[in-house]
Amino acid sequence: MNSHLPTPQLDKPKPSNEDENTESRLTRAETTVEYLAKAIERFEKRMDEGFSTMRAEHRADIAELRHEINEFRKEVATNMRWLLGIVFASFMSLLAMMARVNNLL
């Protein structure tokens, strides 16, 4: 004898206990889906807020870097002027010394 029950036919109505099991499983699945949908919405909201905060911080950092770069450019320009002035003065002094040595002055 076969100890397995035969598979139910599709035309026959299901026993009442199978309907209750299916209904409870479906209810649990729907509850889980609703919970997951709410969790995803909260996650999306937190991500959007985090990205907005991060964008604001990056904009502030970029503005600070631009300010520092402008200050650095001004400092480099000042140092370049001083360097050119010193080189020009040294060159003129060298010309004057050569003229003095050759009795041109």
Side-chain angles (χ1 to χ4, degrees):
M1 288 201 165
N2 193 354
S3 63
H4 296 289
L5 296 174
T7 57
Q9 296 295 324
L10 294 176
D11 295 16
K12 296 181 183 177
K14 295 182 181 179
S16 63
N17 63 352
E18 280 188 31
D19 285 338
E20 291 172 6
N21 289 340
T22 304
E23 189 68 31
S24 66
R25 288 173 55 199
L26 184 60
T27 303
R28 259 187 289 143
E30 288 174 344
T31 306
T32 303
V33 167
E34 287 176 14
Y35 172 77
L36 290 175
K38 289 178 183 177
I40 289 172
E41 284 180 30
R42 287 191 311 266
F43 185 65
E44 286 176 341
K45 186 177 179 181
R46 287 177 57 198
M47 282 179 54
D48 289 341
E49 290 171 358
F51 287 143
S52 297
T53 303
M54 205 182 325
R55 275 190 222 108
E57 290 173 1
H58 284 288
R59 286 184 185 129
D61 290 342
I62 289 171
E64 183 181 346
L65 283 173
R66 285 184 177 154
H67 177 71
E68 289 179 11
I69 288 172
N70 288 336
E71 291 297 317
F72 181 72
R73 285 179 179 165
K74 289 177 185 176
E75 186 177 336
V76 167
T78 302
N79 289 341
M80 184 61 73
R81 287 185 199 113
W82 273 99
L83 179 64
L84 289 176
I86 291 170
V87 167
F88 181 73
S90 298
F91 181 70
M92 295 306 285
S93 298
L94 181 64
L95 285 178
M97 285 176 42
M98 289 175 64
R100 182 72 175 157
V101 168
N102 291 325
N103 291 326
L104 296 174
L105 291 176

